[in-house]
Amino acid sequence: MSDVTTPAVELRGVTKRYGDVTALRTIDLAIDRGTLVTLLGPSGCGKTTMLRLIAGLERPDDGRILIGGRDVTLAAASERNIGMVFQSYALFPHMTVLENVCYGLRAGGMKKAEAIAAATDKIALVGLAGYESRLPSELSGGQQQRVAVARAIVLEPEVLLFDEPLSNLDAKLRRHVREEIRELQQSLSLTAVYVTHDQQEALAISDRILVMNMAAVAQDGSPRALYEQPESRFVADFIGDANIVPIEVRRIDGPLAEIDLAGLVLTLPHHGATVGAAELAIRPQSVGLAPGAGAPGTLPGRLATAAYLGSHMEYRVRITPEIELFVVSPDVAAPLKPGCDVAVSVAADGVAIIPGR
Amino acid sequence: MDGFPRSAKIWLVVAWAALIALPWYGLGGIPRGVPAWPAVVQASAGARGWLIPLILALIPATVAVFGRARPRLLVAAAATAILWTVIEGFAIVHNGWGVAALGPWFADPAPTQPALGWGALVFLVAMLMLIANGLARQGVCRGDVFVTGAILLVVALIALFVIYPALCIFVSAVKDNDGGFAPELFGAKLFGRPIWGIDCLVGGGACGTAWNTVVVATVVGVVTTLLGLAFALLALRTRVPMKPLIGLLSVLPIITPPFVIGLALILLFGRSGAVTIWVADLFHVPRTRWIYGVTGITVAQVLAFTPISFLVMIGVLQGVAPSLEEAAETLRAGRWRTFRTITWPLIRPGLANAFLIAFIESMADFANPLMIGGNFTVLSTDIFFAVVGTTHDQGRAAVLAIVLLTFTLTAFQAQRAWVGRRGYATMGGKGAAGRATELPGGLKALCYGLALPYLALTVAVYGTIMVGGFVESIGRDNTPTLRHLITAFSIEKGIGGWFLSGSAWNSLVTTFEVALIAMPFTAAIGIVVAWLLDRQRFAGRQAFEFLAMMSFAIPGTVIGVSYILAFNVPPLALTGTGTIIAIAFAFRNMPVGIRAGIANLAQIDRSLDEASLTLGARSLRTLVLVLLPLMRPAVTTALVYSFVRAVTAVSAVIFLVTGEYQLATVYIVGRADVGDYGVAIVYSAMLIVLMLLILLIIRLGVGLNRPGARPVRGTASLTPATMVQP
């Protein structure tokens, strides 16, 4: 139908409005074949709308949508070559596992025997062989989730859409299932669009992440790029709970900038910042705390709160009246006490300049 | 672009077949002779040249479908065909020009044509479906042919069987008895004394019918609302075990033919009623006819409609989370203070709703005023007498119908606006947990004070109906007898074997037949409309909803009159057939199916539809394979209630019955009218018992209508409250 270089999904200037509210503002996006792209953002950012637009469950007010090189802007969901895994799984409660998985094949006109063979195959693939004649209500949440995946992939769609597929599972199961989804996607080299609001989930499974905010894409990149080089205060804050503190860029020198953080001078990649006021994102894990005060290359601070979380300690440190840092420390053996003075150091690999202010 | 889907081609072939092979004129039975000729023959050999445009219109439609797909051309051709059928249908009728002004323009003699037949109907439906294909192709309803077609068909049906008859009333209202245009008569009738007079206040005569109706409806509305509230409070806010009573009260209004209560009141309190005679003998009070008139109507309607108010109030009270009352109590509020500051403000909007529903029901009620009204007339009975009475004034009937329709539609609009605006009783999400607070003592006593007399009277009424048929003449001669039962329901062995010789069998069998025929159509149209309203987005959805639900607010009497006016003459002649009765049932009971469907769909997550769509199934497949299996409760409810309501209906069909198509309820009313109470009571009792049995069997079978039952995952249980709340 189309060659490998054609993007699996393409959005050109797609806009969606609900009444006066703009849910998506002129989105341009091309998704390569075989990649898993995550749409990440807080609720109401437009990520689910974008997924539903791709699925054909909503119509854009403006722009074109292409799937596999074919313009499907006006096509109904049933006429698009997609598969979707719903948040609620949306398994048909009155049909068995086999009937659920066969449903799309039969709707597409496949003969019953062939449909059953293909469905049985995919049910086995997701590890549910032997469960074919069960009703969805007789399955656990994790099993239902797998049926939903099998039902979607059995159609061999151009793109597989996941709408927060893990949010109905408990925390332990979530990690396991997300690994399974990633493994399946890679072994079948499926193209997938994955919606979530959980940044850890997004970092763990994605080839590429679109961080969304206020109906637009805030940043588009690999998990590592997003974490290490957030381009905006929003992205830095949303991915990895960074501390955002005001800084002064003093000097630009090639790719590096010399900055002043409350008196502490650091040299970092400038990320396009110019001389003057800017902000710095500091990861909670990159802040070092030592009891006492005054070592060179550190900032003096006072510990405001301390919490023991088993695997690590969480602290709040006050540097100046305006600057308070959230710190995660792996050292649980010798915890610091609230109220004590500490020397605060910042590791250069866990900080990034956010240009402009 | 590729061609049209197969359905368009099939409909086109159907349209050609309708023109070439099916009888163009004459419904009902198998038409013979000239009317049975198909349209092409009518146009050529029958010299009915005005049918030629229909054939011509089909040619571009054929090109549009089978050639390169041309949706605009298809829509234009099919719409032209429909429009032309309507125009020529009204212009040329059985006795010449339908519009007199056409006469001078054309040659004598005026052409004539009989009423439309199967060919015409099939042709029109096919045209509608071709329009749907053309519109969907242009992106209407997301390009979904089935949705577009369903909307067009439903709108066409409502236009034909609800709007068109209503318009006929307006036309008839401005005509005199000979059919001449007489607008001045209309004004005189509309604003005249018989309707708006206030002589009972200032003169000494009777007041106008409109005032009578409004006053009775207001009193009935207030009293039933209070009674309904009292019962609801007792059921949900005391420890009294009321479950069985709730169950009974919820089915009584549905299974009871509307005139039964009036009939029982006459048998109890009429001039020779059981209670009247007993009191007269005991206290030597002269026997009077006090029950006939406004008192009787009010009492009968209060008895009849309180269960409906009760079901509405139960729904409202269930919407008040007990945790709110518990919260108030933890904040140091006593029981009385909790009721006054928390419960009461939350249920107050529900009271207005219950009042308006009872108000509409009272105005629309026809059978009780007919039975027990005496000389006191309300609009619904006045309409009836204007049509069947000695004066036979259709214009007057039409004017009265307009007044009544204005009242009920206004109340209906008010009720919808009110319910739409005040939703907070159901707000608060979860929190249904917790135990309801007991009513304060004084209030509890008040509730009992209201509820117990009502219950006593209800027991007396149903007791009278159940027992009264098995004595010679209840009140006067209480000797037990099976005489009435035998008269009505005897089965004898004759020459050809067993046959039903009782006088009631004919009407009972006809009733069941017609109700059974109407049943699937009522349910189907109701469920489809519910699905369109709940699951599809399309332009004009709100207007569509109003149209669909409006028939709830059209009193049966008005429907009856409008059907006589609309379907007595071509282009669509249906009166005198069983079909028109079935159609009246279907459109009158359609809201039942709509409400059941919407309530059911609300419990089915939308993601199921969406999942089906993303799996490549279109809307029709999704509806049939995914939604309908999950809507079994709604389908059952719609089927059963449409059947039961059809069997117990009086007002609409009393105008439509004929000797051949006699119905149970109309037969009973006729018996009671001539004083043959024995048969009337026995027959009423028989109907009530039969309907109760049907409901019981269904309830045991599918677990329908258990108030308060929690919906099971993936299925739904429907309370009768869904049935009474418009």
Side-chain angles (χ1 to χ4, degrees), chain A residues 110-156:
Chain A
M110 189 184 277
K111 290 214 173 58
K112 194 167 183 184
E114 288 172 43
I116 289 177
T120 314
D121 200 40
K122 288 295 184 290
I123 293 171
L125 184 69
V126 297
L128 284 177
Y131 287 81
E132 287 85 354
S133 55
R134 299 265 190 111
L135 285 173
S137 54
E138 297 164 338
L139 299 177
S140 71
Q143 289 168 331
Q144 291 182 15
Q145 211 270 349
R146 289 185 215 184
V147 177
V149 171
R151 187 174 70 174
I153 61 172
V154 76
L155 297 175
E156 295 174 2

Side-chain angles (χ1 to χ4, degrees), chain B residues 325 328 333-348 439-440 443:
Chain B
E325 291 171 357
R335 275 199 252 161
W336 178 244
R337 190 182 188 82
T338 302
F339 180 81
R340 201 164 46 80
T341 56
I342 306 295
T343 319
W344 176 252
L346 287 175
I347 59 176
R348 216 163 33 197
L439 281 185
L443 192 61

Side-chain angles (χ1 to χ4, degrees), chain A residues 52 56-59 76-79 82 84 86 88 90-95 103-104 106-107 137 144 151 155, chain B residues 139 142-143 537 605 607-619 621-622 625-627 629-630 713-714:
Chain A
R52 292 173 62 85
L57 298 170
E58 308 279 348
R59 289 297 153 88
S78 54
E79 288 155 22
I82 52 120
M84 183 152 171
F86 289 80
S88 62
L91 298 180
F92 306 129
H94 57 300
M95 297 183 192
Y103 184 89
R106 298 282 289 149
S137 54
Q144 291 182 15
R151 187 174 70 174
L155 297 175
Chain B
R142 299 153 164 244
R537 279 167 290 171
D605 196 69
S607 65
L608 290 185
D609 309 33
E610 293 176 346
S612 176
L613 290 177
T614 62
L615 291 169
R618 286 166 213 277
S619 57
R621 195 183 184 87
T622 304
L625 288 184
V626 176
L627 291 178
L630 297 174
R713 204 184 127 96

Side-chain angles (χ1 to χ4, degrees), chain B residues 622-704:
Chain B
T622 304
L623 177 65
V624 172
L625 288 184
V626 176
L627 291 178
L628 277 185
L630 297 174
M631 288 179 74
R632 254 206 335 246
V635 174
T636 319
T637 307
L639 286 172
V640 172
Y641 282 66
S642 70
F643 177 78
V644 174
R645 282 177 55 120
V647 169
T648 56
V650 182
S651 53
V653 292
I654 200 165
F655 296 92
L656 305 174
V657 295
T658 58
E660 192 186 349
Y661 292 101
Q662 180 64 277
L663 295 181
T665 49
V666 181
Y667 179 78
I668 298 175
V669 170
R671 289 288 90 199
D673 200 36
V674 299
D676 187 0
Y677 290 125
V679 168
I681 306 167
V682 144
Y683 203 165
S684 301
M686 181 67 103
L687 278 186
I688 293 176
V689 170
L690 280 176
M691 296 301 106
L692 194 60
L693 279 179
I694 289 173
L695 284 188
L696 277 180
I697 291 167
I698 299 293
R699 186 193 291 199
L700 290 179
V702 297
L704 176 81

Side-chain angles (χ1 to χ4, degrees), chain B residues 96-97 100 102-112:
Chain B
W97 295 111
L102 283 173
W105 292 85
F106 294 94
D108 275 345
T112 62

